[in-house]
Amino acid sequence: MSALPNTATRGGYRRWPLYVLVAVTLVALALIVEAFLRAETFSPGEEVSPGVRDVVVSGENSLYPPPDTNHFQQPPEAIFVYLSVEDLPSGEDMEARVERAWSESIFSLLFGQSIGLEAVDEQEDQLSAGGTGATGILKFAFRTDSGEPVPPGNYTLGISSTGEDAGADGVAVRKSFVVEE
């Protein structure tokens, strides 16, 4: 009779799969808590600096600013932004940026695709030149890269300016609004 030697040792036990599982669980928990807190502290509103009279967001494309929409009941195809300015310096550069915060399942947070929004400036601006700068309405739109409706979420629009009328962080306008499903 031949006996096989006992080659099993306790020193070869690997614990790294357990550590990886604990790390992934902690990251998932942190993402869930962060998404929940972000959704709870969000409130629609606006902040405008001098030189900007008003900012309106709407799903409606019209010649003049329609009523302001802080809360979209269903996702629009595009979000139109109407910026009413007064005495805007002529050489001033402006840049628009929109950020989306949303709370979804952990699987969509980890494996979901990011939907990009792009600013489309194919609109006619209605500006008149004055003694100290331009006055009138600037109009542009945000659409998804794929052409789908704007996804649900909490949005913050920031319009930055290089002029002296901008706030301390260079933001002339900050507008927050909600898009629901």
Side-chain angles (χ1 to χ4, degrees), residues 70-156:
N70 284 333
H71 197 92
F72 293 90
Q73 296 297 324
Q74 50 186 290
E77 293 294 320
I79 295 175
F80 294 92
V81 179
Y82 302 84
L83 187 64
S84 177
V85 296
E86 185 173 7
D87 296 330
L88 183 69
S90 59
E92 191 166 318
D93 289 333
M94 299 187 87
E95 176 183 299
R97 183 178 62 244
V98 67
E99 296 175 3
R100 175 177 168 240
W102 71 101
S103 57
E104 297 182 26
S105 71
I106 188 64
F107 293 113
S108 64
L109 287 173
L110 292 175
F111 304 112
Q113 294 182 2
S114 166
I115 298 177
L117 294 174
E118 62 182 353
V120 181
D121 189 20
E122 57 192 35
Q123 312 298 320
E124 283 286 324
D125 294 332
Q126 302 170 17
L127 295 175
S128 61
T132 58
T135 299
I137 305 291
L138 294 169
K139 178 182 166 186
F140 59 94
F142 281 101
R143 291 192 168 101
T144 59
D145 297 342
S146 63
E148 296 176 8
V150 176
N154 299 331
Y155 288 85
T156 302

